[in-house]
């Protein structure tokens, strides 16, 4: 399902790079971030290699709503009441990995946006 040869997240999805997986289904994988900015820092990665929101097809966009169901499930299971979802597009926004993903950050008082 993932196809970009030099993409770190495609390699994680394919199992070529190890990760700490907390959830997986046919469209998303959720792993622990290797460099956490808070006690809880998860990455919900869309399995298909799509670089940014601007590259999503209509079919991909329709899959995105399920992210919220996944976040609801994980945060409920972990007893997480406050959390932030972050999704970066482009270098100036802080995107380092060009494969669409959503950060789920929690476990401490977070500063304001930006
Ligand atoms: P971005 O800056 O693109 O929004 O977020 C990329 C995130 O991926 C960063 O928080 C970074 O720590 C994380 N990351 C990069 N390489 C790896 C890796 O090999 N494994 C894991 N678990 N996270 C990674
Ligand atoms: Zn990829």
């Amino acid at each position: 399902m993932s196809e970009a040869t030099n993409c770190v997240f495609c390699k994680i999805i394919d199992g070529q790079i190890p990760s700490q997986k907390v959830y997986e289904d046919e469209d998303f994988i959720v792993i622990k971030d290797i460099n956490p900015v808070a006690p809880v820092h998860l990455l919900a990665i869309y399995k298909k290699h799509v670089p940014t929101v601007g590259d999503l097809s209509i079919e991909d966009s329709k899959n995105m709503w399920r992210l919220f169901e996944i976040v609801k499930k994980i945060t409920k299971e972990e007893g997480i009441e406050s959390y932030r979802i972050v999704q970066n597009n482009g270098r100036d926004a802080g995107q380092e990995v060009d494969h669409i993903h959503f950060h789920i950050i929690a476990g401490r008082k977070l500063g304001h946006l930006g």
Side-chain angles (χ1 to χ4, degrees), residues 9 27-31 33 41-47 50 52-53 56 60-61 63-68 70-71 74 84-89 95 97 99-105:
F9 287 172
D27 293 317
F28 286 93
I29 185 172
V30 183
I31 63 170
D33 196 293
H41 187 167
L42 304 175
L43 299 172
I45 304 170
Y46 189 45
K47 283 191 171 177
V50 176
T52 70
V53 166
L56 289 169
D60 294 324
S61 296
N63 284 329
M64 288 300 128
W65 72 269
R66 292 194 42 256
L67 174 79
F68 295 108
I70 296 165
V71 171
I74 292 171
R84 181 173 291 168
I85 300 172
V86 175
Q87 196 273 319
N88 299 318
N89 297 277
Q95 185 176 16
V97 180
H99 180 136
I100 198 162
H101 58 281
F102 299 78
H103 300 254
I104 302 152
I105 300 167

Side-chain angles (χ1 to χ4, degrees), residues 1 5 8 14 25 31 35 40 44 46 48 63 79 82 92 97:
M1 197 177 291
T5 49
V8 65
D14 287 346
D25 65 25
I31 63 170
N35 188 20
V40 177
Y46 189 45
K48 184 174 164 190
N63 284 329
S82 295
D92 283 356
V97 180

